Amino acid sequence: VHHMEGHLFATSLDDATAEPPFTGLLVSGGHTLLLDVPAWGRYKLLGSTRDDAAGEAFDKVAKLLGLPYPGGRHVEALARDGDPARFHFSRPMLHRNTPSSDSSYFDVSFSGLKTAVLNAVRGSTDIERDRADIARGFQDALIETLVEKTARAAAMFHRDRIVLGGGVACNRTLIEAMRARMGIHVEVFAPTPRLATDNAAMIARAGLFRYNHGERASLDHAARATAPLPGQG
């Protein structure tokens, strides 16, 4: 069973209509993957992070702002009180004139955004005054990047469903922004918090799929941290 395939299946445990074909966005502490999913078990990897994953970026920014770990929900809560106009960070690898043939069309990169936040924190003369505004600026930049990359994928492959997965899929601001961007003709599915973070149910669901398709593993089968997502084509 592949861990990230489990995250793809997780949302369907809440809503059985979250099924292929769809555009999948997996955002967690260790991964940021954008996929086209024509059917269960068939995955086309469109883009991924070139450095920090989305969840990792949230955790690092939370640390810079003096927030607890894991940082995603704390950054989101702080950002709700932030002024979106005070700190505007560039949207990494999000250029309107990028051709779809360019490798950066779907990829993301958050290390530069993290550095921009670090510079804002260091340059602040009153961090208590600025913390919420910095959090808001960071979150807006990261979410807009994820939303626009996902919109590109849905449009290119003519998908009317988007399925989110992974711990960052708990972020209500991300979900609301995705739904607002996609409009009424594209349905956006997101897992409940109990299924967004790592859990046994999602692994069991992915395992059942593999089992029903005749796949078996011996008891000496070893875990591999770098195994590619199965069914990529």
Side-chain angles (χ1 to χ4, degrees), residues 81-97:
D81 297 324
D83 180 351
R86 285 202 64 221
F87 291 89
H88 186 276
F89 301 115
S90 63
R91 279 47 175 162
M93 297 180 69
L94 192 60
H95 305 292
R96 305 296 177 186
N97 58 349

Side-chain angles (χ1 to χ4, degrees), residues 3-12 14 24-33 35 53-56 58 146 163-172 174-175 189-199 202:
H3 183 80
M4 299 312 291
E5 187 174 32
H7 277 303
L8 268 183
F9 274 104
T11 306
S12 67
D14 279 324
L25 176 65
L26 297 179
V27 275
S28 67
H31 298 272
T32 302
L33 303 175
L35 304 159
E56 183 183 4
F58 267 107
L146 292 176
V163 173
L164 308 180
V168 180
C170 288
N171 188 296
R172 296 303 308 175
L174 169 62
I175 298 167
F189 298 89
T192 55
R194 70 191 182 105
L195 291 172
T197 52
D198 294 348
N199 63 86
M202 72 181 197

Side-chain angles (χ1 to χ4, degrees), residues 30 32 48-54 56 60 93 108-112:
T32 302
S48 61
T49 181
R50 297 188 177 183
D51 39 62
D52 292 355
E56 183 183 4
K60 289 180 176 179
M93 297 180 69
V108 295
S109 169
F110 297 121
S111 62

Side-chain angles (χ1 to χ4, degrees), residues 57-132:
F58 267 107
D59 290 338
K60 289 180 176 179
V61 167
K63 184 176 181 179
L64 291 174
L65 296 174
L67 300 174
Y69 177 90
R73 64 187 180 93
H74 300 290
V75 172
E76 183 182 18
L78 183 62
R80 290 192 193 105
D81 297 324
D83 180 351
R86 285 202 64 221
F87 291 89
H88 186 276
F89 301 115
S90 63
R91 279 47 175 162
M93 297 180 69
L94 192 60
H95 305 292
R96 305 296 177 186
N97 58 349
T98 302
S100 59
S101 58
D102 194 292
S103 62
S104 67
Y105 191 69
F106 292 121
D107 280 354
V108 295
S109 169
F110 297 121
S111 62
L113 177 57
K114 177 196 66 181
T115 301
V117 172
L118 172 63
N119 291 336
V121 170
R122 286 178 173 173
S124 173
T125 58
D126 186 346
I127 192 59
E128 288 305 312
R129 177 199 63 197
D130 295 338
R131 283 168 77 244

Side-chain angles (χ1 to χ4, degrees), residues 83 87 89 91 113 132-142:
D83 180 351
F87 291 89
F89 301 115
R91 279 47 175 162
L113 177 57
D133 299 336
I134 293 173
R136 177 63 182 268
F138 159 75
Q139 182 173 258
D140 283 355
L142 184 142

